[in-house]
Amino acid sequence: MPESNSKRRSERKFGDYGGQYVPEALMPAIEELTDAYERYVLDNEDGFMDEFRERIRDFGGRPTPLQRADNLSERYGSDVYLKREDLLHGGAHKLNNALGQVLLAKYMGKERIIAETGAGQHGTATAMAAAHLDMPCEIYMGRRDVNRQRPNVFRMRINGAAVNPVDIGRGTLKEAISETMRDWATTVETTHYVIGSVVGPAPFPAMVRDFHRVIAEETRRQAEEQYGRLPDAVVACAGGGSNTMGIFSDFVGDEGVSLYAVEAGGSSLSVDEERGVAPNSASLSTGSEGVLHGARTKLLQDGDGQIMESHSVSSGLDYAGVGPELAYLVDEGRVNAVNVDDDAALEAFHRLSQDEGIIPALETAHALAFLEETDEDLGEFVVVNVSGRGDKDLEAAIEETEKRDLPNAPDMGVFE
Ligand SMILES: *Cc1c(COP(=O)(O)O)cnc(C)c1O
């Protein structure tokens, strides 16, 4: 593909998915961002990508290891390797995107950063990146989430960010996103909105993927160096889909590499249309086409197009939509959309902790649970993206473990 003189253009649509379904007031900001993305990220103008790579190395701690999991390998009879994004600064893959976007905002001459957050992981990554790059930062967070996620609220505030509780609606991520969009519409001149996954209007899905692509670049190189070839299968958990697209992006063209996006099956795949509740977050497996947060994609909605309340034991997967490119790759048959339920994820959480000495995020536990649950032969060489570490989930893991009779949980009676 010749790209020497011709400027590379950003992808606005992925098949029928994606696009820019935003109010007129936001179009100037979207156009300006598209221009900046093409110049700085795609064309490396002013050495932007060089500075990004240097900072994600020195501040973020890249490259992260690709580690052979000896005990899991023995259990599954394949060579199971873990891409250790849990070792990235902040404890999850999220910093790749947050740092990339805050740096881009700086190159664009913006003076202020805003972001939304659900459980607080993206807000925390954004607050860290903003502190590192000396940018004022405000995070919108639903009131209910503020009350449930006190440690993360303090992490953001300690890093100098203001946290704005959102009282409308149910006080969760969905309302926080709407409120951040509203702020952006009136402050576009000075402000950049750091979206937290491969979702939202173009250019966000492609841009966020490109900041996370470093995961795939490293995995590819490390696989060649350590194993002498590319993996047979790559497995990642999918909420919005940013760690998934990050580790898949450089393998999409390699037909020998099977790609598995593992969604949260929650407590059940069935939905309660009457009450507008889906007890899962499996939008790729069970959702239908619609528009959410500026893009056409697969989502959990009722017959009238109302967004359903989703559920997962892991807050980071608890989202009614999914990135448009991932939805497209699933429709094309390139990515396999699979899901595991809450119980299987919790078992996997304990298994990785006990067998490998790595406490995974509950999100990541879904990807690991797939290895246990699937009947498919994944091949000799399997890579799992360990999107984050589980320290943030200890409270939830204790509570959810106590509710269940898991075959491999430690004795919780120590608290009595
Ligand atoms: C936020 C988060 C996710 C889900 O987000 P994606 O955009 O789907 O990657 C997964 N794992 C961890 C550890 C997270 O913090």
Side-chain angles (χ1 to χ4, degrees):
M1 240 187 290
E3 49 183 46
S4 44
N5 293 321
S6 64
K7 245 177 160 269
R8 285 194 289 163
R9 307 301 296 172
S10 60
E11 301 133 285
R12 291 180 196 225
K13 298 199 82 179
F14 306 92
D16 286 340
Y17 299 121
Q20 299 171 319
Y21 297 84
V22 298
E24 206 51 46
L26 276 181
M27 274 319 285
I30 295 285
E31 289 303 333
E32 187 190 352
L33 181 62
T34 302
D35 177 62
Y37 163 56
E38 290 176 354
R39 281 167 43 207
Y40 295 120
V41 180
L42 297 184
D43 291 335
N44 194 28
E45 197 171 302
D46 298 342
F48 172 85
M49 284 304 285
D50 303 324
E51 180 168 353
F52 170 65
R53 283 172 197 284
E54 192 178 307
R55 288 185 186 274
I56 201 65
R57 183 191 67 202
D58 297 345
F59 177 63
R62 299 214 75 92
T64 61
L66 180 69
Q67 180 219 330
R68 184 173 192 276
D70 294 339
N71 298 314
L72 287 190
S73 296
E74 191 170 332
R75 182 179 183 90
Y76 299 123
S78 304
D79 288 308
V80 178
Y81 279 69
L82 307 174
K83 181 57 175 162
R84 299 288 309 274
E85 288 301 290
D86 59 312
L87 295 178
L88 190 66
H89 180 44
H93 67 291
K94 287 198 164 66
L95 185 70
N96 298 321
N97 169 49
L99 184 69
Q101 286 199 52
V102 176
L103 187 64
L104 185 65
K106 229 176 168 144
Y107 273 61
M108 292 171 73
K110 302 293 178 190
E111 295 154 12
R112 174 176 173 261
I113 295 298
I114 55 173
E116 86 295 338
T117 199
Q121 294 305 112
H122 172 58
T124 301
T126 304
M128 290 185 330
H132 172 66
L133 291 165
D134 196 20
M135 291 276 265
C137 176
E138 287 180 46
I139 308 290
Y140 288 92
M141 188 170 184
R143 172 69 70 185
R144 199 173 78 173
D145 289 331
V146 169
N147 293 332
R148 285 194 301 195
Q149 306 286 347
R150 290 161 56 96
N152 268 338
V153 172
F154 275 103
R155 281 164 85 191
M156 290 183 257
R157 300 203 56 196
I158 286 165
N159 280 307
V163 177
N164 304 327
V166 176
D167 286 312
I168 52 177
R170 286 196 288 257
T172 62
L173 176 64
K174 188 157 79 75
E175 292 83 17
I177 294 178
S178 306
E179 208 51 24
T180 320
M181 292 256 185
R182 205 161 307 160
D183 178 322
W184 202 31
T186 60
T187 57
V188 290
E189 300 267 303
T190 58
T191 301
H192 176 65
Y193 173 12
V194 179
I195 286 188
S197 190
V198 285
V199 301
F204 282 105
M207 181 175 75
V208 173
R209 175 205 63 208
D210 286 348
F211 288 132
H212 283 301
R213 169 171 266 153
V214 61
I215 306 172
E217 290 168 354
E218 286 174 10
T219 303
R220 206 182 165 91
R221 196 181 65 233
Q222 290 164 325
E224 295 277 14
E225 278 169 16
Q226 296 170 223
Y227 205 84
R229 65 173 176 90
L230 298 184
D232 297 307
V234 178
V235 181
C237 66
S242 69
N243 86 89
T244 327
M245 286 312 305
I247 196 161
F248 286 179
S249 52
D250 274 17
F251 296 108
V252 170
D254 299 291
E255 281 189 13
V257 183
S258 308
L259 306 173
Y260 294 88
V262 188
E263 296 192 288
S267 56
S268 160
L269 284 186
S270 64
V271 299
D272 183 344
E273 281 260 354
E274 286 283 285
R275 288 172 47 236
V277 176
N280 62 71
S281 308
S283 37
L284 289 170
S285 314
T286 69
S288 54
E289 242 184 273
V291 171
L292 179 64
H293 298 133
R296 174 168 285 279
T297 187
K298 276 242 169 98
L299 39 97
L300 302 173
Q301 56 188 338
D302 66 17
D304 302 325
Q306 291 294 317
I307 304 306
M308 290 204 259
E309 192 176 338
S310 54
H311 161 81
S312 168
V313 71
S314 74
S315 51
L317 300 185
D318 192 350
Y319 179 61
V322 66
E325 185 175 14
L326 192 52
Y328 169 72
L329 291 172
V330 169
D331 280 7
E332 290 290 289
R334 180 63 190 96
V335 170
N336 304 292
V338 296
N339 59 80
V340 301
D341 65 17
D342 287 345
D343 293 356
L346 275 161
E347 268 185 59
F349 171 88
H350 290 294
R351 190 177 309 111
L352 193 75
S353 306
Q354 288 164 16
D355 290 0
E356 298 290 347
I358 300 167
I359 303 176
L362 284 173
E363 292 84 2
T364 312
H366 286 73
L368 296 155
F370 175 66
L371 301 187
E372 183 80 11
E373 303 289 306
T374 185
D375 297 327
E376 278 180 64
D377 177 8
L378 300 179
E380 262 171 36
F381 178 22
V382 178
V383 172
V384 182
N385 198 20
V386 180
S387 56
R389 66 175 185 227
D391 305 53
K392 69 181 178 63
D393 291 326
L394 291 184
E395 285 290 337
I398 292 168
E399 195 181 306
E400 297 292 338
T401 299
E402 280 176 337
K403 277 191 215 162
R404 293 172 166 82
D405 198 11
L406 299 176
N408 67 344
D411 179 8
M412 304 302 277
V414 66
F415 291 116
E416 279 158 15

